[in-house]
Amino acid sequence: MIVAQDLGLVSLSAPVAAGRRTAAELQSLALEGASLLADAPAEEIARWAASTFGSRFCVTSSMADAVVAHLFSRVAPGVDVVFLDTGLHFPETLKVRDIVATTMNVNVRSIRPRMTVGQQDGEFGPRLFARSPDECCFLRKVEPLERALSDYDSWATGLRRDESPTRANTPVVAFDAKKGKVKVNPIAAWTQSDVDSYIARWNVPVNELFKKGYGSIGCWPCTRRTKAGEDPRAGRWAMFEKTECGLHV
Ligand code: SF4
């Protein structure tokens, strides 16, 4: 799954199209990309995305690890990396964000919710995450992502098919009709072993919580340690049926 070293670099400042693309044009590009790149290496997918969408493209990262940010920093130096700063992250997660910002050739954009945690407590009552996590995720993740993505036609994620049954059919490129944008998942086909190899090969920053028994890392109120052999995502919203924050649906 790990590939070519000699990559032509993509200049993100180059104009990619005369004027803004319509949803129909983006859909057509997504179809083309999906067919062209279904079995392509991650670097090739990343290169296609950065060169196709230029400055209208960003990477999103939860800062559980910095694999996808690193991948794009090699292919498209200076690329925007959007991080949703919910105000409820573990310090270890913010540390990865800060290391990425200071050591990689990317532009980290920390996007905050409209309300601070205190303001949200005042308006909705304290610990909304314990009563209505969907509402809390909407306020602190979904709305901020939608706001951030208004600057772009396409975004990349670190989603992988082997992460959970709900992600088993993740395509490498798809048109998100709800958002009207092209979603790119360059490491969709990677296994955990591919990720570990990439991290070791490039010395990519990883959240220290993985060494402390966490299998998947989100906001601290909704994340617990997982046991050996347990589904890594079982540690997210463990008191609820909820398995996704709403960013990928
Ligand atoms: Fe709120 Fe939990 Fe969602 Fe974070 S993961 S936004 S704390 S419900």
Side-chain angles (χ1 to χ4, degrees):
M1 214 51 73
I2 294 176
V3 293
Q5 299 220 28
D6 296 324
L7 301 164
L9 297 185
V10 176
S11 169
L12 294 166
S13 58
V16 293
R20 294 279 290 274
R21 285 168 168 141
T22 64
E25 287 170 329
L26 293 173
Q27 187 166 18
S28 166
L29 283 169
L31 281 171
E32 190 182 301
S35 141
L36 195 71
L37 301 163
D39 301 311
E43 281 85 349
E44 205 176 304
I45 299 165
R47 199 164 193 292
W48 173 86
S51 62
T52 301
F53 301 105
S55 60
R56 298 282 301 166
F57 173 79
C58 73
V59 176
T60 54
S61 176
S62 68
M63 301 298 170
D65 64 53
V67 167
V68 177
H70 183 272
L71 178 74
F72 277 92
S73 76
R74 292 170 51 221
V75 171
V79 69
D80 285 353
V81 174
V82 168
F83 170 68
L84 301 177
D85 187 355
T86 63
L88 292 162
H89 282 299
F90 290 98
E92 289 87 344
T93 302
L94 301 179
K95 187 173 165 190
V96 174
R97 186 264 319 262
D98 294 344
I99 293 171
V100 169
T102 52
T103 64
M104 285 187 202
N105 194 351
V106 297
N107 175 39
V108 173
R109 295 184 61 202
S110 285
I111 308 294
R112 299 216 165 94
R114 291 197 187 280
M115 285 184 275
T116 63
V117 174
Q119 288 167 334
Q120 180 174 299
D121 287 353
E123 187 150 332
F124 294 87
R127 297 173 55 82
L128 184 62
F129 48 78
R131 292 177 285 110
S132 180
D134 284 346
E135 200 171 4
C136 185
C137 275
F138 179 81
L139 294 166
R140 312 207 72 74
K141 290 184 171 181
V142 176
E143 186 282 329
L145 178 67
E146 281 175 9
R147 188 163 19 99
L149 290 185
S150 67
D151 293 335
Y152 308 101
D153 290 333
S154 174
W155 83 109
T157 82
L159 288 183
R160 299 198 332 266
R161 293 171 194 146
D162 78 341
E163 287 178 301
S164 71
T166 56
R167 298 182 177 184
N169 297 316
T170 301
V172 294
V173 181
F175 182 69
D176 183 320
K178 215 163 132 194
K179 291 186 174 64
K181 298 175 193 295
V182 180
K183 186 173 185 178
V184 181
N185 306 302
I187 62 169
W190 283 20
T191 62
Q192 185 60 51
S193 165
D194 293 322
V195 172
D196 294 344
S197 300
Y198 188 96
I199 287 168
R201 178 178 181 181
W202 296 99
N203 195 24
V204 174
V206 177
N207 199 305
E208 289 165 11
L209 294 174
F210 283 123
K211 288 188 204 146
K212 297 178 181 172
Y214 291 82
S216 174
I217 299 160
C219 298
W220 63 261
C222 301
T223 306
R224 68 156 172 80
R225 288 181 173 85
T226 43
K227 300 183 190 93
E230 196 177 12
D231 175 356
R233 287 191 67 81
R236 304 288 295 279
W237 305 283
M239 304 299 287
F240 297 91
E241 289 297 309
K242 184 176 168 72
T243 55
E244 296 283 349
C245 52
L247 298 179
H248 303 296
V249 293

PDB file of all heavy atoms in Angstrom, residues 86 88 129 133 136-137 140-141 219 221-222 237, ligand 1:
ATOM      1  N   THR A  86     -12.963  21.260  19.350  1.00  0.00           N
ATOM      2  CA  THR A  86     -14.259  21.249  20.046  1.00  0.00           C
ATOM      3  C   THR A  86     -14.217  21.911  21.418  1.00  0.00           C
ATOM      4  O   THR A  86     -15.246  22.180  22.013  1.00  0.00           O
ATOM      5  CB  THR A  86     -14.741  19.792  20.254  1.00  0.00           C
ATOM      6  OG1 THR A  86     -13.796  19.126  21.104  1.00  0.00           O
ATOM      7  CG2 THR A  86     -14.881  19.057  18.936  1.00  0.00           C
ATOM      8  N   LEU A  88     -13.101  20.269  23.858  1.00  0.00           N
ATOM      9  CA  LEU A  88     -13.227  19.118  24.763  1.00  0.00           C
ATOM     10  C   LEU A  88     -12.242  18.015  24.368  1.00  0.00           C
ATOM     11  O   LEU A  88     -12.492  16.827  24.599  1.00  0.00           O
ATOM     12  CB  LEU A  88     -14.671  18.585  24.716  1.00  0.00           C
ATOM     13  CG  LEU A  88     -15.715  19.541  25.328  1.00  0.00           C
ATOM     14  CD1 LEU A  88     -17.125  19.190  24.865  1.00  0.00           C
ATOM     15  CD2 LEU A  88     -15.635  19.505  26.849  1.00  0.00           C
ATOM     16  N   PHE A 129     -23.253  16.502  26.278  1.00  0.00           N
ATOM     17  CA  PHE A 129     -22.726  15.263  25.680  1.00  0.00           C
ATOM     18  C   PHE A 129     -23.272  14.019  26.382  1.00  0.00           C
ATOM     19  O   PHE A 129     -23.362  12.957  25.774  1.00  0.00           O
ATOM     20  CB  PHE A 129     -21.188  15.248  25.706  1.00  0.00           C
ATOM     21  CG  PHE A 129     -20.583  15.621  27.032  1.00  0.00           C
ATOM     22  CD1 PHE A 129     -20.542  14.721  28.083  1.00  0.00           C
ATOM     23  CD2 PHE A 129     -20.048  16.892  27.221  1.00  0.00           C
ATOM     24  CE1 PHE A 129     -19.993  15.069  29.300  1.00  0.00           C
ATOM     25  CE2 PHE A 129     -19.494  17.258  28.442  1.00  0.00           C
ATOM     26  CZ  PHE A 129     -19.463  16.344  29.488  1.00  0.00           C
ATOM     27  N   PRO A 133     -25.838  13.458  22.864  1.00  0.00           N
ATOM     28  CA  PRO A 133     -24.558  13.586  22.161  1.00  0.00           C
ATOM     29  C   PRO A 133     -24.712  14.007  20.703  1.00  0.00           C
ATOM     30  O   PRO A 133     -23.830  14.680  20.169  1.00  0.00           O
ATOM     31  CB  PRO A 133     -23.933  12.193  22.292  1.00  0.00           C
ATOM     32  CG  PRO A 133     -25.051  11.280  22.646  1.00  0.00           C
ATOM     33  CD  PRO A 133     -26.060  12.096  23.390  1.00  0.00           C
ATOM     34  N   CYS A 136     -24.860  17.698  20.795  1.00  0.00           N
ATOM     35  CA  CYS A 136     -23.540  18.233  21.148  1.00  0.00           C
ATOM     36  C   CYS A 136     -22.586  18.110  19.961  1.00  0.00           C
ATOM     37  O   CYS A 136     -21.874  19.057  19.619  1.00  0.00           O
ATOM     38  CB  CYS A 136     -23.005  17.486  22.376  1.00  0.00           C
ATOM     39  SG  CYS A 136     -21.452  18.134  23.003  1.00  0.00           S
ATOM     40  N   CYS A 137     -22.581  16.941  19.291  1.00  0.00           N
ATOM     41  CA  CYS A 137     -21.714  16.761  18.117  1.00  0.00           C
ATOM     42  C   CYS A 137     -22.103  17.723  17.000  1.00  0.00           C
ATOM     43  O   CYS A 137     -21.234  18.219  16.279  1.00  0.00           O
ATOM     44  CB  CYS A 137     -21.791  15.326  17.591  1.00  0.00           C
ATOM     45  SG  CYS A 137     -20.690  14.171  18.419  1.00  0.00           S
ATOM     46  N   ARG A 140     -20.642  21.155  18.068  1.00  0.00           N
ATOM     47  CA  ARG A 140     -19.201  21.277  18.261  1.00  0.00           C
ATOM     48  C   ARG A 140     -18.379  20.653  17.130  1.00  0.00           C
ATOM     49  O   ARG A 140     -17.177  20.877  17.047  1.00  0.00           O
ATOM     50  CB  ARG A 140     -18.790  20.690  19.619  1.00  0.00           C
ATOM     51  CG  ARG A 140     -19.669  21.195  20.765  1.00  0.00           C
ATOM     52  CD  ARG A 140     -19.011  21.202  22.110  1.00  0.00           C
ATOM     53  NE  ARG A 140     -18.007  22.247  22.251  1.00  0.00           N
ATOM     54  CZ  ARG A 140     -18.295  23.542  22.392  1.00  0.00           C
ATOM     55  NH1 ARG A 140     -19.536  23.965  22.404  1.00  0.00           N
ATOM     56  NH2 ARG A 140     -17.323  24.424  22.501  1.00  0.00           N
ATOM     57  N   LYS A 141     -19.051  19.871  16.249  1.00  0.00           N
ATOM     58  CA  LYS A 141     -18.290  19.256  15.147  1.00  0.00           C
ATOM     59  C   LYS A 141     -18.952  19.489  13.781  1.00  0.00           C
ATOM     60  O   LYS A 141     -18.306  19.964  12.856  1.00  0.00           O
ATOM     61  CB  LYS A 141     -18.163  17.742  15.376  1.00  0.00           C
ATOM     62  CG  LYS A 141     -17.252  17.359  16.526  1.00  0.00           C
ATOM     63  CD  LYS A 141     -17.119  15.842  16.585  1.00  0.00           C
ATOM     64  CE  LYS A 141     -16.056  15.420  17.577  1.00  0.00           C
ATOM     65  NZ  LYS A 141     -15.905  13.954  17.616  1.00  0.00           N
ATOM     66  N   CYS A 219     -13.397  13.398  21.668  1.00  0.00           N
ATOM     67  CA  CYS A 219     -13.453  14.295  22.818  1.00  0.00           C
ATOM     68  C   CYS A 219     -13.359  13.466  24.111  1.00  0.00           C
ATOM     69  O   CYS A 219     -13.881  12.343  24.168  1.00  0.00           O
ATOM     70  CB  CYS A 219     -14.772  15.058  22.841  1.00  0.00           C
ATOM     71  SG  CYS A 219     -15.048  16.108  21.420  1.00  0.00           S
ATOM     72  N   PRO A 221     -14.941  13.538  27.020  1.00  0.00           N
ATOM     73  CA  PRO A 221     -16.116  13.015  27.733  1.00  0.00           C
ATOM     74  C   PRO A 221     -16.717  11.777  27.056  1.00  0.00           C
ATOM     75  O   PRO A 221     -17.468  11.035  27.694  1.00  0.00           O
ATOM     76  CB  PRO A 221     -17.133  14.166  27.675  1.00  0.00           C
ATOM     77  CG  PRO A 221     -16.352  15.383  27.300  1.00  0.00           C
ATOM     78  CD  PRO A 221     -15.229  14.890  26.463  1.00  0.00           C
ATOM     79  N   CYS A 222     -16.414  11.562  25.787  1.00  0.00           N
ATOM     80  CA  CYS A 222     -17.069  10.498  25.022  1.00  0.00           C
ATOM     81  C   CYS A 222     -16.093   9.421  24.565  1.00  0.00           C
ATOM     82  O   CYS A 222     -16.351   8.699  23.604  1.00  0.00           O
ATOM     83  CB  CYS A 222     -17.760  11.099  23.799  1.00  0.00           C
ATOM     84  SG  CYS A 222     -18.978  12.339  24.249  1.00  0.00           S
ATOM     85  N   TRP A 237     -18.520   6.991  22.687  1.00  0.00           N
ATOM     86  CA  TRP A 237     -19.931   7.104  23.112  1.00  0.00           C
ATOM     87  C   TRP A 237     -20.397   5.756  23.690  1.00  0.00           C
ATOM     88  O   TRP A 237     -21.457   5.227  23.315  1.00  0.00           O
ATOM     89  CB  TRP A 237     -20.822   7.523  21.939  1.00  0.00           C
ATOM     90  CG  TRP A 237     -20.366   8.774  21.272  1.00  0.00           C
ATOM     91  CD1 TRP A 237     -20.536  10.057  21.737  1.00  0.00           C
ATOM     92  CD2 TRP A 237     -19.668   8.898  20.031  1.00  0.00           C
ATOM     93  NE1 TRP A 237     -19.972  10.951  20.868  1.00  0.00           N
ATOM     94  CE2 TRP A 237     -19.438  10.267  19.812  1.00  0.00           C
ATOM     95  CE3 TRP A 237     -19.210   7.971  19.095  1.00  0.00           C
ATOM     96  CZ2 TRP A 237     -18.768  10.742  18.681  1.00  0.00           C
ATOM     97  CZ3 TRP A 237     -18.540   8.440  17.972  1.00  0.00           C
ATOM     98  CH2 TRP A 237     -18.328   9.807  17.777  1.00  0.00           C
TER      99      TRP A 237
HETATM  100 FE1  SF4 B   1     -19.820  16.587  22.344  1.00  0.00          FE
HETATM  101 FE2  SF4 B   1     -18.924  14.101  22.786  1.00  0.00          FE
HETATM  102 FE3  SF4 B   1     -19.585  14.877  20.298  1.00  0.00          FE
HETATM  103 FE4  SF4 B   1     -17.398  15.864  21.497  1.00  0.00          FE
HETATM  104  S1  SF4 B   1     -17.752  13.715  20.869  1.00  0.00           S
HETATM  105  S2  SF4 B   1     -18.866  17.019  20.349  1.00  0.00           S
HETATM  106  S3  SF4 B   1     -18.092  16.026  23.656  1.00  0.00           S
HETATM  107  S4  SF4 B   1     -20.937  14.616  22.090  1.00  0.00           S
END
